[in-house]
Amino acid sequence: MSPTRAEIRAKLLAEAEQVIDALLDWTDQTPRPNLTQIETAVLKMRKRLGAQAALAVIEAQDTRRPVPGPGCPTCQREMHYKDTKAQTVESRVGHITIARGYYYCETCHQSLFPPG
């Protein structure tokens, strides 16, 4: 079952609070940062929060298995569901780990890890 909007919001707010606290801790420990140091700290904060926001939205998507399974990109035969698999991907917001069902073609020995 997908999380509710309120659950997603609460999760993102908690993450934002942690990121803001880390930035404020850094500010307390860095008495006279230059512009480059400030930019680096803020970009690190943005990357972490962006990755968490993307992951929250991805995890909220309905992850039902398609019936029938997807067609094999090589032979077009139906692929069979194997299991749930976690995969770390490099997205435009950073590394995120996604858990999804994956499929396998017995004929071509191809596997497919659909986005959602």
Side-chain angles (χ1 to χ4, degrees), residues 70-85:
C72 173
T74 304
C75 72
Q76 275 56 77
R77 291 187 180 172
E78 180 183 349
M79 298 180 87
H80 300 284
Y81 177 79
K82 292 296 277 185
D83 200 355
T84 300
K85 180 179 179 180

Side-chain angles (χ1 to χ4, degrees), residues 97-111:
T97 302
I98 304 170
R100 289 281 188 257
Y102 76 99
Y103 297 81
Y104 185 75
C105 177
E106 299 290 337
T107 305
C108 299
H109 308 288
Q110 295 282 335
S111 59

Side-chain angles (χ1 to χ4, degrees), residues 44-58:
K44 182 179 176 183
M45 175 182 133
R46 182 176 74 177
K47 183 177 181 178
R48 178 176 164 190
L49 193 53
Q52 288 300 316
L55 186 58
V57 172
I58 290 167

